[in-house]
Amino acid sequence: MWQVGVALALLVVVVQARSGVQLPRMQIQRVKNHVKTQANINAELQHLRAKYNVTQQAVAATATNMTTEPLSNDMNMEYFGSITLGTPPQSFKVMFDTGSSNLWVPSSTCYAEACLAHNVYTAGDSSTYVSNGALISITYGKGGMTGLLAQDVLQISGLTIPQQVFAMADTELDNQFNDAAFDGILGMGYQALAENNVVPPFYNLVSLGLVPESVFSFYLKRDSTSTDGGALVLGGSDSSLYAGPMVHVPVTREDYWQFQLDYASIAGVEICNKCQAIADTGTSLIAAPAAAYKVISSLIAPTGSFQCSAASLLSLPVLKLTIGGGCFNIGPESYIIQNGGQCLLGISSLDTDFWILGDVFLGQYYSEFDLGNNRLGFASITGHCPNSASRTSFFLFFY
């Protein structure tokens, strides 16, 4: 799932939100653009099955402003940003993952290959380190980490949590993180999902009054011709980053960010009616229940891949989704991954009864995670919802 990282250059700008509030925003310049391969997709699918603990099936200080954390984009497969831990600060790249709830980084006591290839936390170098001593193990069915809990100063986008409990990984299992472009993971899910009932960082930002609202939101840049990787907004939503109305739906289960997907169809075939779905920024693809995936793949890519051409792509159906009564369709320009003249399907299958809407979906729609009101919001970035009638053409990039 994790690929080689990209070089970054940061440009600090201030944007004017439609609400009139000055929002500090740090944009990412993406210097190098990679391509995705079938191996990338297979690795993502392997991690996804492990993360949700399913087996492989045959179907295969009081703040007045919001704060924006820049996100780096690695191959449109992973989005991550920077944090620091300790005094003086030790820097780490972390994936902000709404599909988990713990913060962990590699420890200097870890000699696994994954640890040696990444930035590590050295407790002895921090004057504010506090030993916790509790053992922790975070697993994703296959892969994960084991280590010790600790407490130290955490800084996220200029916001300081003086006593954040986090995990120091002294073992990273099954080589899952060897080639990760990031060092660790910062979970953005509910505390109920956290191992050892550790309080997640965003909960602490809220309790310390460091954000104006108990809301965070994501803008994930998907344009392969752009150097902007997107942003994580802490404390609200930046309406300058989306064009359509924000549609809210209640959370149906408070661990993952789970909600009701009202309806889904493709080529006129119903594949979901009042299904459950999870919004997961730590997942690159869309994962559908096995029965829905069987229909999707039979209509689009029965053999898993096919030769790309303008005619073949324009003939593909739109995946039509209804959420909260609003249209949130995904066109083939979004769910097809193009590489070397081959078209690969960016939708996978899991043996679950819920959908996982990862970055293939979240890259098309601004997503708001409202912890205070236990709801999610989605809004179109472009201001329109793809459909067969309005779709006429899109760019093809062959590598």
Side-chain angles (χ1 to χ4, degrees):
M1 172 181 180
W2 301 286
Q3 316 299 327
V4 177
V6 296
L8 304 177
L10 303 181
L11 172 64
V12 180
V13 299
V14 176
V15 298
Q16 178 74 35
R18 294 176 186 173
S19 63
V21 177
Q22 291 285 342
L23 304 178
R25 178 185 175 204
M26 189 180 294
Q27 292 183 326
I28 286 297
Q29 299 292 319
R30 182 172 55 192
V31 178
K32 185 177 181 180
N33 182 45
H34 295 272
V35 297
K36 294 180 287 294
T37 66
Q38 185 64 57
N40 300 144
I41 297 174
N42 291 343
E44 161 70 7
L45 183 55
Q46 179 184 13
H47 171 74
L48 192 58
R49 291 191 177 107
K51 182 176 184 178
Y52 289 93
N53 198 24
V54 296
T55 57
Q56 182 172 359
Q57 301 298 307
V59 183
T62 303
T64 57
N65 293 340
M66 292 177 280
T67 301
T68 302
E69 167 65 26
L71 298 180
S72 173
N73 182 352
D74 181 19
M75 298 166 54
N76 279 355
M77 295 288 282
E78 297 301 338
Y79 295 83
F80 51 92
S82 297
I83 64 168
T84 67
L85 286 163
T87 307
Q90 301 177 40
S91 298
F92 301 93
K93 295 177 181 178
V94 294
M95 180 175 67
F96 294 97
D97 178 20
T98 60
S100 65
S101 299
N102 288 86
L103 167 61
W104 66 266
V105 296
S107 168
S108 60
T109 62
C110 177
Y111 297 100
E113 181 179 347
C115 296
L116 296 175
H118 293 92
N119 294 326
V120 297
Y121 173 80
T122 304
D125 289 348
S126 175
S127 63
T128 48
Y129 160 75
V130 177
S131 176
N132 180 291
L135 297 172
I136 185 170
S137 176
I138 304 173
T139 61
Y140 305 100
K142 177 180 175 61
M145 58 76 64
T146 62
L148 294 172
L149 291 180
Q151 178 183 291
D152 212 333
V153 177
L154 167 64
Q155 292 192 44
I156 307 174
S157 194
L159 304 178
T160 301
I161 301 172
Q163 298 176 323
Q164 177 63 51
V165 177
F166 66 100
M168 304 179 296
D170 55 30
T171 303
E172 296 189 27
L173 307 174
D174 293 328
N175 301 321
Q176 292 292 304
F177 302 102
N178 286 6
D179 298 321
F182 50 85
D183 304 307
I185 293 176
L186 193 152
M188 305 287 285
Y190 279 86
Q191 186 175 354
L193 196 62
E195 295 293 337
N196 293 45
N197 199 35
V198 172
V199 179
F202 188 72
Y203 279 67
N204 285 327
L205 291 178
V206 172
S207 64
L208 292 170
L210 296 175
V211 289
E213 296 181 86
S214 52
V215 177
F216 60 89
S217 53
F218 283 90
Y219 167 59
L220 304 182
K221 189 75 172 181
R222 301 292 283 186
D223 185 354
S224 63
T225 65
S226 172
T227 59
D228 184 358
L232 163 63
V233 180
L234 299 168
S237 290
D238 184 348
S239 58
S240 70
L241 296 176
Y242 58 88
M246 182 73 73
V247 175
H248 289 99
V249 291
V251 169
T252 56
R253 180 175 175 177
E254 296 174 17
D255 46 21
Y256 298 111
W257 286 91
Q258 187 169 323
F259 63 98
Q260 179 174 287
L261 173 60
D262 296 336
Y263 184 80
S265 68
I266 189 164
V269 180
E270 178 183 300
I271 52 177
C272 162
N273 192 326
K274 296 183 179 180
C275 304
Q276 291 295 295
I278 291 168
D280 185 357
T281 57
T283 293
S284 301
L285 310 176
I286 291 176
Y293 175 78
K294 185 176 182 180
V295 174
I296 294 170
S297 61
S298 68
L299 292 170
I300 298 172
T303 61
S305 66
F306 56 92
Q307 286 293 122
C308 281
S309 69
S312 64
L313 288 170
L314 288 173
S315 69
L316 295 178
V318 170
L319 176 60
K320 296 187 175 183
L321 306 178
T322 302
I323 301 171
C327 170
F328 294 94
N329 294 347
I330 302 294
E333 65 273 25
S334 300
Y335 68 67
I336 289 296
I337 297 169
Q338 303 169 45
N339 178 45
Q342 287 290 304
C343 279
L344 309 175
L345 183 58
I347 303 173
S348 61
S349 172
L350 286 185
D351 187 29
T352 64
D353 58 359
F354 54 84
W355 292 65
I356 301 171
L357 300 183
D359 299 337
V360 166
F361 172 82
L362 296 173
Q364 312 309 314
Y365 298 101
Y366 191 96
S367 55
E368 178 186 270
F369 298 78
D370 188 341
L371 184 65
N373 293 303
N374 292 314
R375 66 179 186 174
L376 292 106
F378 301 104
S380 174
I381 291 172
T382 62
H384 71 276
C385 185
N387 59 70
S388 298
S390 62
R391 177 170 52 87
T392 57
S393 65
F394 51 86
F395 292 107
L396 303 181
F397 299 98
F398 298 118
Y399 300 93

